[in-house]
Amino acid sequence: MAVVDEIRSACAWVAQRSRHVRVAHHAIDGYARELAARRTVPTLDPELHLIEGSREQRAAFTLTLDAINFGSGWFPQLRKRPGRSGYATVALALRQRFAVHGPWSAEELAAIGRDDVAATFGQDANHELVGLWTTALRQLGATLERRYAGSWCAPVDDAQGSAVALVESLATSAGFEDVSTYEGRAVPLYKRAQLAAADLQLAGVAEFADVDRLTIFADNVVPHVLRLDGVLNF
């Protein structure tokens, strides 16, 4: 079973057993039609993301940013840029780092320290999230060194035009292992691995024939929106 099918199967299993949240199944068809009618083509914000430069640089930025695209529960504690969200603060800081110094090499990333991460993102080196970011970046660098001889594009090319194959490859790396547990069962989500595949295509690094097989990217805002739109009942 492909990893995206495992995600759907496990999440359906959770939904059937949930105690405090219910899916309003009668609302799904109409909601899907409404979304399809107002669908827009997704793009990356050029202010927050690297969409220019070499393919290797764009791959490096995308994979680096998506490797640390977690921790929104800590965002109220972060020093944010004026008028910017937590995510925008992180993305802008990384964008600025790439503009001045370019990407880290896989070797540099595998050995990066908390002080360097804190300085890059303008945060306190002792903050718990900075420690988690440091671990994730080290894991990404080590994976690139071990599997792909330090090449940022190699994971994309190795997927041979399949977003699902890239997700499955990234999902075996500890840094992208987004798996939760519900009533003793492992529930894979792989938000960041799937988001990386989608972002790499939007950045022009890849052209995936099966990007439509990806699932929704798990995020704390999703249930909030679905509740307001009448699809979830709490």
Side-chain angles (χ1 to χ4, degrees):
M1 181 184 293
V3 66
V4 290
D5 298 323
E6 292 178 8
I7 294 170
R8 290 182 169 91
S9 175
C11 290
W13 182 86
V14 171
Q16 292 168 1
R17 289 159 178 78
S18 61
R19 293 181 294 274
H20 304 295
V21 182
R22 291 287 183 271
V23 178
H25 292 280
H26 67 277
I28 293 177
D29 286 346
Y31 190 60
R33 287 193 297 270
E34 179 186 343
L35 291 178
R38 65 188 191 202
R39 183 178 178 181
T40 57
V41 177
T43 59
L44 293 176
D45 185 338
E47 187 179 4
L48 302 182
H49 303 94
L50 188 66
I51 60 174
E52 299 176 344
S54 71
R55 183 170 176 258
E56 187 78 2
Q57 289 173 328
R58 285 174 281 135
F61 180 87
T62 302
L63 288 171
T64 302
L65 179 59
D66 284 332
I68 56 172
N69 189 358
F70 64 88
S72 59
W74 281 282
F75 282 0
Q77 302 171 14
L78 296 186
R79 289 193 287 270
K80 295 191 237 356
R81 299 194 176 200
R84 296 291 187 171
S85 66
Y87 174 79
T89 295
V90 173
L92 281 168
L94 187 64
R95 182 78 170 78
Q96 183 177 11
R97 198 276 176 196
F98 271 59
V100 176
H101 302 290
W104 289 285
S105 69
E107 183 180 7
E108 290 171 334
L109 211 57
I112 198 168
R114 288 179 73 136
D115 289 342
D116 289 338
V117 174
T120 297
F121 297 103
Q123 305 301 325
D124 183 349
N126 294 321
H127 196 286
E128 183 177 4
L129 183 56
V130 171
L132 295 173
W133 283 345
T134 303
T135 298
L137 291 173
R138 286 176 177 170
Q139 290 170 335
L140 174 60
T143 296
L144 288 171
E145 277 195 297
R146 185 176 64 256
R147 296 184 189 175
Y148 304 107
S151 169
W152 289 98
C153 286
V156 182
D157 297 335
D158 195 49
Q160 298 182 336
S162 170
V164 174
L166 178 61
V167 171
E168 290 179 332
S169 175
L170 291 175
T172 63
S173 169
F176 283 89
E177 193 177 11
D178 298 327
V179 179
S180 188
T181 303
Y182 188 80
E183 292 187 356
R185 174 174 174 173
V187 181
L189 300 171
Y190 299 125
K191 168 194 174 175
R192 289 172 298 144
Q194 294 190 86
L195 187 58
D199 285 347
L200 286 163
Q201 176 152 307
L202 292 176
V205 177
E207 185 63 40
F208 296 123
D210 59 351
V211 70
D212 59 317
R213 292 188 63 197
L214 301 181
T215 74
I216 191 171
F217 311 134
D219 190 275
N220 60 319
V221 176
V222 172
H224 171 68
V225 172
L226 292 179
R227 182 188 187 191
L228 292 178
D229 288 353
V231 180
L232 288 184
N233 295 319
F234 284 34

